Amino acid sequence: MRSKFVFIASGLLLSTPAFAAETTIVPIVDLRLRQESVEQAGLAHDAEAITLRGRVGAEISNGAFAFLAEAEGTIAIDEHYNSGLNGKTAYPLVADPENVELNRVQVQYKGFSNTVLTVGRQRINLDDQRFVGAVGWRDNEQTFDAARVEWIGPGKLKLDASYVWSVRTIWGKDGTGARQQAVDGDNFLANLSYPTPWGTLSTFTYLIDQDEVAVSGRRLSSQTYGLRFAGVRPFAAVKLNYALSYAAQSDYHNNPNHYSAEYWLADGGVDIGMVRLGAGYEVLGADTGLALTSFQTPLATGHKFHGWADQFLTTPPDGLHDAYFSLGWNRKQLGKLSNVGVNAVWHRFDSDRLSQDYGDELDLIATAKVGKFNLLAKYADYRADRFSTDTRKTWLQVEWSY
């Protein structure tokens, strides 16, 4: 738990104890050291990236108000990689450019019953981040200049709605061209969820209006409407986890492409002691007409889905089918290590249209915690058939937070 520093407001309030206000300051310190190696067929060199990311800030609370400010900086200790902005195109892409920026600055108000209002540059993660997320895997996370309301109603019904006028991307202060620092627009994100004994039922509406022609020619402006049901349920000596989701997407506002596409997800798993088995099938459909357009998720935390080699952060024009299977093992304590886990995931990728075999991927990960240190080792091996090229990535990471 973070330490809290409490003091009494100075000045006139000190001479009037009845009106003294208690102010709480919670510091924010987060450090990450990561080594990433990438081998990609067709490029002259392998990438070797060692980056150090730091976030420093504080949240100051007084009564119903809270103010948070957080700076973020990334330095490249070893920059033998294409950061997307440094011009080293003979190397594979590692999307962690050097950067210093104001990551978050927000004002929050909790004075209304069961309601939280947040205005400013903030982190927004909705559901499993499949459609809206902070892209926390990258050193420079994605944040949102937004006005947000979170309301809890009867039966723990929850409304989470935001108006976003600018998306601050992972490319940071030097972002330019198709990799801009910020993408402006009029975006509306609404998520309504209700917990049941079997899981949480959510319905969502995401209206994405991207003004920047340089980023995508407005081709990522879309309207998405969907449902999601996800839960965890003990059954005899095992624990079941499951998720079902459906969404429909079409062009929105100034998008020059007129299209419609569908999204489907069926995911399930079972925990047997310390072992977890899982499987799923996810479909990002292609337009059934003449438009070479498919279901897109430009605000998602894309690295969480479709393999860690990041070959499908943008859905191919012919859509994507992802069949995956996972096997994992977790233990709360192992000697001096806590939260120890290993996991393997295998993906098979195919197109939604024209029956193309894209490729397959094997992902491996091991994680553990020692005190305040989080340790990670990770591996991804994408074998291309008819999409992209063979790509192999490895990571070693240490993260510490206060």
Side-chain angles (χ1 to χ4, degrees), residues 102-392:
L102 190 60
N103 189 50
R104 290 187 291 165
V105 55
Q106 65 184 50
V107 176
Q108 199 168 76
Y109 180 71
K110 299 180 180 179
F112 299 122
S113 176
N114 301 320
T115 303
V116 178
L117 303 177
T118 309
V119 178
R121 186 164 302 168
Q122 57 192 282
R123 181 183 295 140
I124 300 178
N125 291 315
L126 299 179
D127 288 331
D128 61 347
Q129 306 180 45
R130 187 64 195 89
F131 298 97
V132 180
V135 196
W137 173 249
R138 300 269 52 110
D139 284 342
N140 306 315
E141 73 173 339
Q142 175 174 269
T143 54
F144 302 83
D145 291 348
R148 182 183 187 186
V149 57
E150 298 169 84
W151 172 77
I152 304 295
K156 295 187 178 180
L157 177 73
K158 181 179 180 180
L159 173 66
D160 191 324
S162 302
Y163 167 69
V164 179
W165 58 88
S166 185
V167 179
R168 316 299 293 191
T169 75
I170 65 170
W171 302 110
K173 64 181 180 62
D174 296 323
T176 185
R179 294 172 173 145
Q180 292 198 14
Q181 174 187 15
V183 181
D184 297 332
D186 295 304
N187 307 280
F188 178 71
L189 314 173
N191 187 294
L192 185 66
S193 62
Y194 184 77
T196 76
W198 287 89
T200 299
L201 177 64
S202 304
T203 180
F204 49 85
T205 297
Y206 302 137
L207 307 180
I208 298 175
D209 171 23
Q210 296 194 338
D211 292 339
E212 298 292 344
V213 178
V215 174
S216 62
R218 298 194 177 98
R219 287 178 173 81
L220 295 179
S221 293
S222 63
Q223 50 187 325
T224 302
Y225 308 92
L227 293 167
R228 173 180 168 84
F229 182 76
V232 177
R233 187 81 176 179
F235 183 77
V238 303
K239 184 168 64 175
L240 304 177
N241 52 86
Y242 39 83
L244 296 170
S245 187
Y246 170 79
Q249 184 179 95
S250 59
D251 55 281
Y252 181 66
H253 204 59
N254 290 321
N255 191 327
N257 290 333
H258 298 290
Y259 77 99
S260 62
E262 294 181 318
Y263 168 88
W264 298 87
L265 169 71
D267 179 275
V270 57
D271 292 358
I272 308 171
M274 293 182 289
V275 177
R276 168 171 290 189
L277 301 172
Y281 195 73
E282 190 172 27
V283 175
L284 283 78
D287 179 66
T288 57
L290 297 177
L292 291 176
T293 306
S294 55
F295 198 105
Q296 301 292 335
T297 58
L299 303 185
T301 299
H303 182 77
K304 288 184 63 178
F305 309 93
H306 309 318
W308 302 327
D310 289 340
Q311 300 301 299
F312 299 98
L313 295 179
T314 299
T315 310
D318 290 320
L320 175 66
H321 290 195
D322 179 9
Y324 55 91
F325 303 89
S326 64
L327 173 63
W329 177 87
N330 297 276
R331 188 165 177 173
K332 290 185 178 179
Q333 198 71 37
L334 185 63
K336 294 184 178 181
L337 301 177
S338 61
N339 298 329
V340 180
V342 293
N343 198 49
V345 187
W346 180 83
H347 297 263
R348 178 62 198 177
F349 303 111
D350 300 286
S351 69
D352 182 57
R353 180 170 47 195
L354 302 180
S355 300
Q356 302 176 64
D357 297 330
Y358 286 153
D360 57 74
E361 180 170 328
L362 175 65
D363 295 329
L364 305 172
I365 188 171
T367 58
K369 187 173 182 179
V370 182
K372 291 182 177 294
F373 292 92
N374 291 293
L375 312 176
L376 175 147
K378 195 170 173 178
Y379 173 81
D381 186 2
Y382 175 75
R383 301 297 178 92
D385 286 336
R386 300 184 62 183
F387 185 85
S388 191
T389 58
D390 291 351
T391 302
R392 184 179 294 112

